[in-house]
Amino acid sequence: QPFRASVLYAVMPRLMQLLPKLILLLVCLLMVAAVSAEQTIEVEIVGIEGPELDNVRAFLSIAQLRPKKDLLTQLTTLQQTGESRPVTERMLRRLHKKAPQEIREALQSYGYYQPKIESTLEQTEQGWLARYQVEPGPPVLLQQVNIELQGEGRDESGLQSVLAAAGLSAGQ
């Protein structure tokens, strides 16, 4: 018993010296979390609409960032992956940097293979604004369509009906 008490008496003054610093650190961390919780991430895509715009939004990693409530603070998290870690400025800039490639890939399924994309990322009073100006360019059109089924199933009515329903024709 005497040994434990002497160790406690020896450590206690040092703990008392560190306590104000620990409290200050905790307050600073809570303030930083509260500031980041108030910031929003807005994504603006101009120059395309309809299904092309919907597909681009679905492909854009930066567009998947959404606020999520936590017990202590509101943190911006990656909704797509289900991660609940705060989004840092570095992560936001990385996602913004890869956005033009994601936009290109999203437009390819609609026949646009040479889009021109201008992107900006700016910090506003409310948070961040990622803006993408997209000129999809001319679509690639089919000049000729010739689809042949080969193998044992080529005469199956189910496969024939799927082929007919595809509706691919020259000029699309």
Side-chain angles (χ1 to χ4, degrees):
Q1 295 267 0
F3 175 73
R4 286 184 187 176
S6 64
V7 170
L8 184 60
Y9 286 123
V11 173
M12 194 58 122
R14 182 69 180 144
L15 286 176
M16 293 308 285
Q17 286 178 336
L18 290 176
L19 188 61
K21 292 177 183 177
L22 290 173
I23 290 173
L24 180 63
L25 178 63
L26 181 61
V27 168
C28 288
L29 288 174
L30 289 174
M31 287 174 55
V32 168
V35 169
S36 68
E38 294 173 7
Q39 293 193 348
T40 62
I41 301 167
E42 186 177 338
V43 177
E44 185 179 291
I45 304 166
V46 181
I48 55 174
E49 53 189 32
E52 290 87 350
L53 176 59
D54 295 340
N55 204 41
V56 165
R57 279 204 179 277
F59 263 71
L60 272 180
S61 298
I62 199 168
Q64 307 306 316
L65 298 172
R66 294 286 178 262
K68 181 178 178 181
K69 293 203 178 195
D70 196 358
L71 290 173
L72 298 174
T73 61
Q74 182 178 359
L75 300 174
T76 306
T77 62
L78 275 174
Q79 191 86 351
Q80 183 180 30
T81 60
E83 296 177 30
S84 44
R85 62 181 187 193
V87 175
T88 62
E89 181 177 340
R90 182 177 177 187
M91 181 188 298
L92 186 63
R93 291 191 182 283
R94 182 178 53 81
L95 293 175
H96 176 70
K97 186 176 180 179
K98 75 179 202 173
Q101 182 58 37
E102 292 176 333
I103 293 171
R104 280 186 191 81
E105 290 172 10
L107 290 173
Q108 287 177 1
S109 60
Y110 289 92
Y112 298 102
Y113 289 90
Q114 297 176 338
K116 293 180 182 167
I117 303 160
E118 292 181 26
S119 62
T120 59
L121 179 65
E122 58 187 71
Q123 192 165 15
T124 65
E125 288 181 12
Q126 295 79 25
W128 292 90
L129 173 62
R131 183 177 294 132
Y132 304 97
Q133 174 69 42
V134 181
E135 292 179 34
V140 173
L141 301 177
L142 301 173
Q143 291 183 349
Q144 181 181 0
V145 177
N146 183 16
I147 301 175
E148 252 181 62
L149 293 176
Q150 296 182 349
E152 294 180 19
R154 70 174 172 249
D155 296 325
E156 297 234 359
S157 62
L159 289 175
Q160 293 293 334
S161 64
V162 168
L163 185 58
L168 293 175
S169 61
Q172 286 186 308

